[in-house]
Amino acid sequence: MSFSRCALLWARLPAGRQAGHRAAICSALRPHFGPFPGLLGQVSVLATASSSASGGSKIPNTSLFVPLTVKPQGPSADGDVGAELTRPLDKNEVKKVLDKFYKRKEVQKLGADYGLDARLFHQAFISFRNYIMQSHSLDVDIHIVLNDICFGAAHVDDLFPFFLRHAKQIFPVLDCKDDLRKISDLRIPPNWYPDARAMQRKIIFHSGPTNSGKTYHAIQKYFSAKSGVYCGPLKLLAHEIFEKSNAAGVPCDLVTGEERVTVQPDGKQASHVSCTVEMCSVTTPYEVAVIDEIQMIRDPARGWAWTRALLGLCAEEVHLCGEPAAIDLVTELMYTTGEEVEVRDYKRLTPISVLDHALESLDNLRPGDCIVCFSKNDIYSVSRQIEIRGLESAVIYGSLPPGTKLAQAKKFNDPNDPCKILVATDAIGMGLNLSIRRIIFYSLIKPCINEKGEKELEPITTSQALQIAGRAGRFSSQFKEGEVTTMNHEDLSLLKEILKRPVDPVTAAGLHPTAEQIEMFAYHLPDTTLSNLIDIFVDFSQVDGQYFVCNMDDFKFSAELIQHIPLSLRVRYIFCTAPINKKQPFVCSSLLQFARQYSRNEPLTFAWLRRYIKWPLLPPKNIKDLMDLEAVHDVLDLYLWLSYRFMDMFPDASLIRDLQKELDGVIQDGVHNITKLIKVSETHKLLNLEGFPSVSQSRLSGTLKSQARRTRGTKALGSKATEPPSPNAGELSLASRLVQQGLLTPDMLKQLEKEWMTQQTERSKGRTESGTHPKATRRKKKEPDSD
């Protein structure tokens, strides 16, 4: 039957008889319009959909399903075929039909059977109604059904197949839930590494506390092997083993995210390689592999790298170094691979003791002391107070470049250097050899990120406390006994309690979706953003009790940052795995700029990057300048990281590395003079001396009050409780109250008064010489406190 003949017959039929002859008409229309899910096809459509509906036990989090936009149809070049076959639709009647359809309990229940909970059902219906009401012409099948319902020749439930088809268009997850669950099934990770499973590995766990020699024994085995790989948690540790290996006559290459160093003159790979754990190869065969700090397999963000190394390294012997808390989990994981674990226990080589008294005052510092802080602000504050006492200190914190950390460690360790005090964060916990006599915890409260990616202020864990305290009295240092205490007396009992607790056992290993898995997800959900793909993957993923999916907030942050830039999925994935500090605005904007340049196919040359970072950079004049230089160093790290993934677009890695070394020297000089930078920052920021011809006593008093409030607020945030004021606090002077509350020491007060009086004298002298009338100063004093 020809299309024109079909249309003619249809037009001659009364409305009531059109419904009865729909089967014949539809069979004629199928060659022109494809499958026709109308009333007669409803049973088969529903049966097919029911058979494909997900039967997984885990209910998906539908709040992650972001609806796609389905645009209403405009005028068709062939005209409104549905209207020609029947008649134009009355939109008012259609709206009544749709409202009736929405209110049908049976329809809502049927939608729930296909994964449309109340929220999805509502969103899908709103989109479906807008599509129907705003389209100039509808597909012939739905036009015919709507016309029949309006004339009472069909039931309103006949709309459901069309509604479901539309719902799957805006929520494509509904149509492929089974496939997505198969892709995100993470229940048998050992099977991901067939090369490792093809060999029978020997697993040796070197277990013991800090400074017990466990890593030393594993490394000796590594040196004596014909081939080996060392996997460390930090670039510093990878560098250390790289240097030790080559110094011992064992040629060793270095591989980190930002650096590749080959030692063979012909450029061939050496038989040994020292790398960061993320960079280890799971296809290269080795005789011996060493995985350091294996307990980090539980790390919420990086644990996946240790899991991958443990399950995937192709080595005859795999030596693990770490805390005893990880033994049980490692044994269980190796049971699933058919491999046994040999445990070798080690004891600490030097004694360490917790003192019965706190430091109380920085006046009680001794050579070899290390004050451990958990914030940069505390680092700066303590360093300044030490300098006021005529002492010199080295400074180490996480965001410093590796070269600067090593330089500060060398300065502190040098017996001929006057610097005998170290102020550091928990960055000293691993990766640095330091000659420390006594560890002093300035605070026991540390900001941390939980498994949900939320920031919390909690006391440090037993594992963290042991790791940090264990740096005192190391076997290779000049101090053969270590001591541990706190700055404040009230923290000492808590520290003892923390150190006495048993270390929480490591109960699960981290996992991470691969680029291939995300690409397969994207194949089924082509219009979904990468950030949303990650959310859906994690929600659909299935893991057993021995594993967990690592927190991917940093990945998602980068994905959302560059979402609007046109990149292929694989390139976008690589950019998002680049390690950046999202707290640094300049580093984040640089990732964005690098991605934009890449998308334009414009190589990021040495000359371009010099202009971008505004090289040459001046030495820092204050703390803010120093932090800006640290951010630039991170940007150069980002360039180098990307240069090993996209060599053609980031072609000048060697030149950038030279530039970074030069910048490292500038930062080292800045950190060497950090107390001067802190002093300038305090003068400008805290005392508000910059830009004012004079500073009144009331102004200084107001500034101190404001600083006291801020300090008390910070103190309260750290301890979660504020100390009640003393009964006579209102009767004391401001200076006395600050001293009483521990915000100022008597020495600091004297130094502050001395500096202020000196500045006042100099300004008074300057005003006298310039002829400034003293009444101007008196009028200035009468102004209200603007703080």
Side-chain angles (χ1 to χ4, degrees):
M1 182 183 295
S2 67
F3 175 79
S4 56
R5 174 65 175 162
C6 170
L8 181 62
L9 291 174
W10 184 271
R12 290 180 178 177
L13 287 173
R17 296 183 62 191
Q18 286 173 0
H21 292 270
R22 188 186 300 134
I25 300 298
C26 289
S27 63
L29 291 179
R30 277 197 187 92
H32 300 276
F33 299 104
F36 183 76
L39 180 63
L40 295 180
Q42 182 173 348
V43 175
S44 60
V45 170
L46 294 182
T48 303
S50 179
S51 65
S52 64
S54 174
S57 58
K58 183 180 177 181
I59 300 175
N61 179 8
T62 59
S63 65
L64 302 175
F65 300 171
V66 179
L68 303 179
T69 301
V70 178
K71 295 181 179 179
Q73 294 192 58
S76 173
D78 297 330
D80 192 345
V81 178
E84 293 177 9
L85 291 176
T86 56
R87 63 194 67 199
L89 293 173
D90 184 340
K91 289 299 178 77
N92 290 328
E93 292 297 320
V94 169
K95 186 176 183 303
K96 293 178 182 178
V97 169
L98 293 173
D99 290 343
K100 184 178 179 182
F101 173 81
Y102 177 72
K103 294 176 182 177
R104 291 270 297 166
K105 296 296 183 184
E106 293 80 2
V107 169
Q108 295 177 16
K109 185 177 182 303
L110 190 58
D113 293 339
Y114 291 89
L116 289 167
D117 61 15
R119 192 186 70 85
L120 294 188
F121 183 87
H122 178 74
Q123 287 183 291
F125 174 76
I126 295 298
S127 176
F128 181 61
R129 184 179 64 187
N130 290 342
Y131 174 81
I132 297 293
M133 299 301 293
Q134 296 174 15
S135 292
H136 286 79
S137 60
L138 295 169
D139 292 339
V140 63
D141 51 2
I142 192 169
H143 187 108
I144 293 173
V145 171
L146 283 170
N147 181 75
D148 283 356
I149 295 173
C150 289
F151 283 95
H155 195 276
V156 68
D157 290 357
D158 291 349
L159 277 177
F160 186 82
F162 304 100
F163 167 73
L164 184 61
R165 180 174 67 184
H166 185 88
K168 289 181 177 180
Q169 282 183 284
I170 67 169
F171 295 117
V173 179
L174 297 173
D175 209 22
C176 54
K177 285 190 291 186
D178 284 345
D179 291 334
L180 297 182
R181 279 200 171 90
K182 290 176 183 176
I183 297 169
S184 58
D185 190 339
L186 308 178
R187 286 177 292 187
I188 315 178
N191 291 353
W192 303 349
Y193 308 102
D195 293 343
R197 299 291 77 76
M199 59 193 304
Q200 188 65 28
R201 305 180 305 171
K202 183 178 181 181
I203 312 297
I204 302 169
F205 195 123
H206 299 266
S207 166
T210 304
N211 194 27
S212 60
K214 57 185 183 298
T215 306
Y216 171 82
H217 287 89
I219 293 300
Q220 292 306 308
K221 190 69 177 178
Y222 166 82
F223 287 162
S224 63
K226 295 179 181 178
S227 62
V229 58
Y230 169 81
C231 306
L234 300 171
K235 288 185 284 186
L236 280 175
L237 280 170
H239 272 274
E240 181 183 343
I241 300 302
F242 164 73
E243 292 172 353
K244 283 184 177 180
S245 182
N246 286 295
V250 181
C252 176
D253 292 341
L254 175 68
V255 178
T256 70
E258 300 81 14
E259 194 172 8
R260 310 284 192 279
V261 179
T262 55
V263 295
Q264 299 286 13
D266 55 3
K268 289 185 178 179
Q269 292 184 354
S271 58
H272 288 67
V273 60
S274 178
C275 63
T276 47
V277 67
E278 286 88 350
M279 301 303 300
C280 70
S281 168
V282 292
T283 56
T284 306
Y286 300 102
E287 183 178 336
V288 169
V290 177
I291 305 176
D292 209 354
E293 305 293 349
I294 186 62
Q295 72 276 359
M296 289 190 70
I297 199 169
R298 67 177 166 197
D299 188 88
R302 297 178 63 202
W304 63 270
W306 277 264
T307 304
R308 175 176 172 271
L310 176 63
L311 297 178
L313 281 174
C314 300
E316 296 172 23
E317 289 187 12
V318 180
H319 292 258
L320 312 176
C321 306
E323 298 176 358
I327 293 175
D328 289 345
L329 176 65
V330 168
T331 303
E332 288 180 23
L333 297 182
M334 293 300 95
Y335 179 79
T336 64
T337 65
E339 296 162 332
E340 294 184 357
V341 179
E342 176 187 338
V343 179
R344 298 178 184 175
D345 292 313
Y346 299 82
K347 303 297 181 182
R348 183 176 170 87
L349 299 174
T350 57
I352 188 169
S353 59
V354 182
L355 301 180
D356 291 326
H357 57 274
L359 188 69
E360 297 288 356
S361 170
L362 296 178
D363 295 327
N364 299 324
L365 286 171
R366 300 179 309 196
D369 278 349
C370 172
I371 302 177
V372 177
C373 308
F374 294 114
S375 76
K376 273 189 181 180
N377 287 338
D378 288 343
I379 289 276
Y380 299 147
S381 174
V382 172
S383 300
R384 178 75 174 107
Q385 293 179 50
I386 291 173
E387 191 261 351
I388 289 173
R389 287 163 170 79
L391 301 175
E392 191 174 340
S393 64
V395 174
I396 296 175
Y397 51 86
S399 59
L400 282 179
T404 305
K405 290 177 185 174
L406 289 172
Q408 290 290 295
K410 183 179 179 181
K411 177 184 176 184
F412 174 71
N413 289 337
D414 187 354
N416 299 320
D417 195 289
C419 172
K420 300 301 179 186
I421 308 297
L422 177 63
V423 184
T425 64
D426 55 337
I428 65 165
M430 57 181 73
L432 290 169
N433 291 317
L434 298 163
S435 186
I436 299 172
R437 180 203 303 269
R438 180 171 57 172
I439 289 286
I440 302 159
F441 285 92
Y442 190 72
S443 167
L444 296 176
I445 303 298
K446 180 186 176 182
C448 62
I449 305 297
N450 63 21
E451 293 182 357
K452 297 180 180 178
E454 301 165 340
K455 188 174 182 179
E456 294 180 342
L457 290 171
E458 296 288 347
I460 57 175
T461 65
T462 301
S463 178
Q464 292 167 338
L466 290 171
Q467 186 81 27
I468 298 168
R471 310 305 290 182
R474 289 183 64 82
F475 182 74
S476 58
S477 74
Q478 59 178 307
F479 304 114
K480 301 308 178 185
E481 292 186 13
E483 298 175 342
V484 184
T485 187
T486 58
M487 181 68 190
N488 301 309
H489 178 73
E490 56 268 26
D491 289 337
L492 190 56
S493 58
L494 177 59
L495 175 63
K496 291 181 177 180
E497 180 186 339
I498 291 174
L499 292 174
K500 286 180 180 178
R501 294 175 190 161
V503 177
D504 293 334
V506 180
T507 57
L511 296 174
H512 190 286
T514 64
E516 291 76 17
Q517 288 170 320
I518 298 302
E519 282 181 334
M520 293 169 69
F521 250 57
Y523 173 79
H524 289 86
L525 307 172
D527 298 316
T528 305
T529 66
L530 180 55
S531 176
N532 194 217
L533 279 176
I534 293 297
D535 281 334
I536 297 173
F537 183 97
V538 173
D539 183 61
F540 273 67
S541 63
Q542 302 174 71
V543 295
D544 62 27
Q546 296 173 327
Y547 299 95
F548 68 94
V549 180
C550 286
N551 181 284
M552 300 189 66
D553 282 354
D554 288 348
F555 183 98
K556 287 167 53 185
F557 174 84
S558 297
E560 291 165 1
L561 187 67
I562 64 173
Q563 179 56 44
H564 63 285
I565 298 177
L567 298 168
S568 69
L569 182 68
R570 178 57 70 102
V571 170
R572 190 181 300 277
Y573 181 93
I574 293 174
F575 266 92
C576 293
T577 54
I580 66 169
N581 182 356
K582 62 183 181 183
K583 296 179 182 178
Q584 288 278 12
F586 183 60
V587 179
C588 298
S589 63
S590 298
L591 178 70
L592 184 63
Q593 186 62 35
F594 289 1
R596 187 176 289 119
Q597 288 284 111
Y598 184 99
S599 70
R600 296 170 181 162
N601 201 29
E602 298 176 3
L604 290 90
T605 62
F606 176 68
W608 179 91
L609 191 63
R610 277 174 60 98
R611 290 194 302 272
Y612 176 72
I613 65 175
K614 299 179 181 178
W615 189 268
L617 300 172
L618 298 175
K621 296 179 180 178
N622 51 47
I623 289 297
K624 182 182 181 302
D625 290 348
L626 179 61
M627 294 175 67
D628 289 343
L629 292 181
E630 292 169 7
V632 174
H633 193 280
D634 287 348
V635 169
L636 299 184
D637 256 351
L638 175 63
Y639 182 100
L640 294 172
W641 192 93
L642 291 168
S643 71
Y644 289 105
R645 280 79 180 170
F646 309 108
M647 294 183 181
D648 54 336
M649 297 301 292
F650 297 82
D652 295 331
S654 60
L655 294 174
I656 299 303
R657 194 173 304 285
D658 293 338
L659 194 70
Q660 191 180 48
K661 289 178 181 177
E662 189 175 343
L663 175 60
D664 202 346
V666 177
I667 293 175
Q668 286 182 38
D669 291 340
V671 175
H672 181 72
N673 300 315
I674 195 166
T675 52
K676 295 180 181 178
L677 305 184
I678 296 168
K679 184 175 179 180
V680 172
S681 299
E682 286 180 344
T683 302
H684 291 172
K685 183 178 179 182
L686 302 183
L687 300 182
N688 283 324
L689 297 178
E690 187 175 30
F692 289 92
S694 65
V695 179
S696 66
Q697 181 68 41
S698 63
R699 179 78 179 185
L700 178 61
S701 174
T703 303
L704 288 174
K705 287 180 181 177
S706 175
Q707 178 63 12
R709 286 195 298 269
R710 286 195 293 271
T711 309
R712 283 198 298 272
T714 305
K715 199 171 183 181
L717 181 63
S719 62
K720 298 187 178 181
T722 55
E723 295 181 2
S726 66
N728 299 321
E731 301 173 6
L732 298 174
S733 66
L734 172 64
S736 299
R737 291 204 303 272
L738 293 177
V739 171
Q740 187 183 71
Q741 294 165 7
L743 303 177
L744 283 177
T745 65
D747 288 344
M748 291 174 62
L749 185 60
K750 290 178 183 178
Q751 180 72 15
L752 189 60
E753 290 173 352
K754 182 179 178 181
E755 291 178 4
W756 182 78
M757 290 301 296
T758 301
Q759 290 160 352
Q760 285 293 92
T761 303
E762 291 175 354
R763 286 190 171 85
S764 297
K765 183 179 179 181
R767 285 195 298 272
T768 303
E769 291 175 353
S770 61
T772 304
H773 200 284
K775 287 185 178 180
T777 304
R778 285 197 295 272
R779 283 196 300 269
K780 185 74 176 177
K781 287 181 180 179
K782 291 180 181 179
E783 291 178 4
D785 181 8
S786 61
D787 185 69

